[in-house]
Amino acid sequence: MSVIYDRVALIGLGLIAGSMSLAMRRRGLAGEVTGYARSAETRDTARRIGLVDRVCDSAAEAVEGADLVVLCVPVGAMEAVAVDIAPHLKTGATLSDVGSTKRAVIDAVGPHVPQGVHFIPAHPLAGTEHSGPESGFAKLFDNRWCLLVPEGGVDDAAMANLRLLWEGMGAHVDQMEPDHHDLVLAVTSHAPHLIAYTMVGVADDLRRVTDSEVIKYSAAGFRDFTRIAASDPTMWRDVFLSNKDATLEILGRFTEELFALQRAIRTGDGDHLFDYFSRTRAIRRGIIEAGQDTDAPDFGRGKQGE
Ligand code: NAP
C-alpha cells in the first residue's frame, strides 16, 4: 500500500498508539510517525524500542506539520492535550482520537479544534489487558472494527483518508453516531468490564475461599474475568466517568435480569434457565460466525501455549 499521510503524530505512546505505529509501518502507510507521551520514562522506552520514527519532548513539537494527529491518551486527559496542541495544528490537518467513549471526547475536544482542522473521532474495537509502550503489536487491529464517529458534517476527503488508514492497518471501518456508539459500547464492553471487576472483587472478598484456592483452582469462567479485570485502572476509571448514562442504563437492565435468574434458581424454574442459556449461546455463535472470535475450545489457549 502507498503512503496515506506524509506525517502522523501520535499523542500518548501506549498499547493503542504503539500498535498503530507498528501497523502503519507494516504497510508503509505514513511517511513519518512522530510521538509524544507525558512521562520521560515512556518517551525513553519508546525511543529505545523504536516505536515511532521520532519521539518528541513536547506534544506541540510532535504535531508540528502533521497531516494526521491521533490522541491516544485516556479519555480524561483528552481536553488538556487538545488545549496544548490546538495552536500548533496545521491547517487542513485531520485530528482524531481512539478514546473508548465518544460523547465525552467530542464535548471535551470539539470546542478547541481550530478552523480548518477536520475533527473525526474514532474508536478501534480492539485491545488487550496490557498497557504501556511495550504492549503494542502490529496485528492488533486485524479483522477488528474501527468506528468513525464524526458529529455533523465532515470533509469527505478527510473521512476517506482516515478510513483508508484504518483499513490499511487491518480493520473494517464503519461510521456511527456518537450517542449510539456510547450505548452500543456500554453493552458490549463497558458493562462487561464492570461485571468482571465485580466478580473478581467478590472472589477476593470471599474469605471462606482462600486466596490461594481462588488462584490455584481458577476455572475458565473466573480466569476469563480476571483477564478483563486486569485492564488498565486509569483507562477504565475514565471510561465509566465519561459514559455514565449509558453504563447505568445497561447496569439497571443487567440487575433486573440477574434478579430474574436468581428467582428462577430459587424456585427451581429450569425452563427459564435453559431458555435463557440457549438464547445466550446463540449470541456466541453469531460472534464466531462474524469472525470476531475463535470457536477453539478454551479460546485456542492450548494452541497458543504449544
Ligand atoms: P496506555 O497503554 O495506558 O497508554 C496511554 C498513554 O497515554 C501513555 O503513553 C501515557 O503516557 C499517555 N498519557 C496519559 N496522560 C497523558 C497526558 N496528559 N498527556 C500526554 N500523554 C498522556 O493506554 P491505551 O490502552 O493505549 O489507551 C489509550 C486510549 O485508547 C484510551 O483513551 C482508551 O480508552 C482507548 N482504547 C483502549 C483500548 C484498550 O483495550 N486498551 C481499546 C480501544 C481504545 P505515560 O506512559 O507517560 O503516562
Side-chain angles (χ1 to χ4, degrees):
M1 262 182 123
S2 53
V3 169
I4 298 169
Y5 296 99
D6 287 333
R7 186 177 296 168
V8 175
L10 302 174
I11 307 301
L13 290 170
L15 169 72
I16 301 294
S19 299
M20 287 183 72
S21 179
L22 299 172
M24 285 189 270
R25 195 175 283 165
R26 179 177 67 170
R27 299 264 159 80
L29 305 175
E32 186 193 29
V33 178
T34 61
Y36 167 76
R38 172 181 52 173
S39 70
E41 189 188 347
T42 297
R43 296 197 297 271
D44 287 347
T45 304
R47 275 191 193 104
R48 178 173 52 76
I49 64 176
L51 194 61
V52 293
D53 300 319
R54 186 158 54 87
V55 176
C56 303
D57 285 322
S58 74
E61 186 191 340
V63 306
E64 208 74 64
D67 306 286
L68 171 69
V69 174
V70 188
L71 308 183
C72 306
V73 299
V75 172
M78 296 274 180
E79 181 165 19
V81 172
V83 169
D84 197 15
I85 62 170
H88 307 279
L89 293 171
K90 180 167 110 173
T91 302
T94 294
L95 174 65
S96 189
D97 78 298
V98 293
S100 302
T101 63
K102 295 275 62 103
R103 169 57 55 200
V105 171
I106 289 170
D107 289 350
V109 174
H112 306 289
V113 180
Q115 279 277 326
V117 170
H118 310 294
F119 179 38
I120 310 178
H123 181 198
L125 307 187
T128 74
E129 68 278 26
H130 301 297
S131 52
E134 294 186 276
S135 57
F137 55 100
K139 289 176 157 182
L140 179 66
F141 310 113
D142 284 357
N143 202 28
R144 298 282 163 229
W145 284 94
C146 180
L147 301 174
L148 302 185
V149 193
E151 175 133 82
V154 68
D155 185 75
D156 286 344
M159 236 353 228
N161 276 343
L162 192 60
R163 175 182 278 272
L164 267 184
L165 181 80
W166 278 105
E167 287 172 349
M169 291 191 290
H172 307 293
V173 177
D174 239 343
Q175 190 173 334
M176 207 179 259
E177 190 272 323
D179 294 312
H180 189 63
H181 166 278
D182 286 359
L183 185 63
V184 170
L185 267 292
V187 178
T188 58
S189 171
H190 306 164
H193 271 80
L194 199 72
I195 292 160
Y197 280 123
T198 315
M199 195 56 232
V200 176
V202 167
D204 190 41
D205 283 345
L206 267 184
R207 291 301 165 208
R208 279 173 299 161
V209 182
T210 66
D211 287 353
S212 61
E213 280 173 318
V214 167
I215 291 166
K216 185 171 169 192
Y217 301 121
S218 167
F222 181 71
R223 215 172 48 195
D224 293 335
F225 277 132
T226 62
R227 186 187 64 72
I228 297 174
S231 300
D232 189 72
T234 306
M235 169 186 157
W236 284 97
R237 177 201 61 197
D238 288 3
V239 165
F240 292 117
L241 294 182
S242 68
N243 197 16
K244 206 186 251 182
D245 294 346
T247 311
L248 290 178
E249 154 91 17
I250 300 306
L251 286 174
R253 293 187 194 203
F254 173 80
T255 314
E256 284 175 23
E257 303 264 321
L258 194 63
F259 278 140
L261 289 174
Q262 209 172 321
R263 184 184 307 113
I265 293 169
R266 189 172 42 244
T267 59
D269 186 350
D271 288 347
H272 181 99
L273 297 175
F274 187 85
D275 290 348
Y276 200 92
F277 300 158
S278 301
R279 197 150 62 84
T280 55
R281 182 177 239 196
I283 291 174
R284 170 76 190 156
R285 262 200 303 274
I287 291 171
I288 290 159
E289 276 161 25
Q292 293 300 302
D293 206 352
T294 167
D295 66 350
D298 208 10
F299 302 101
R301 277 199 182 100
K303 254 168 104 187
Q304 279 168 12
E306 278 165 16

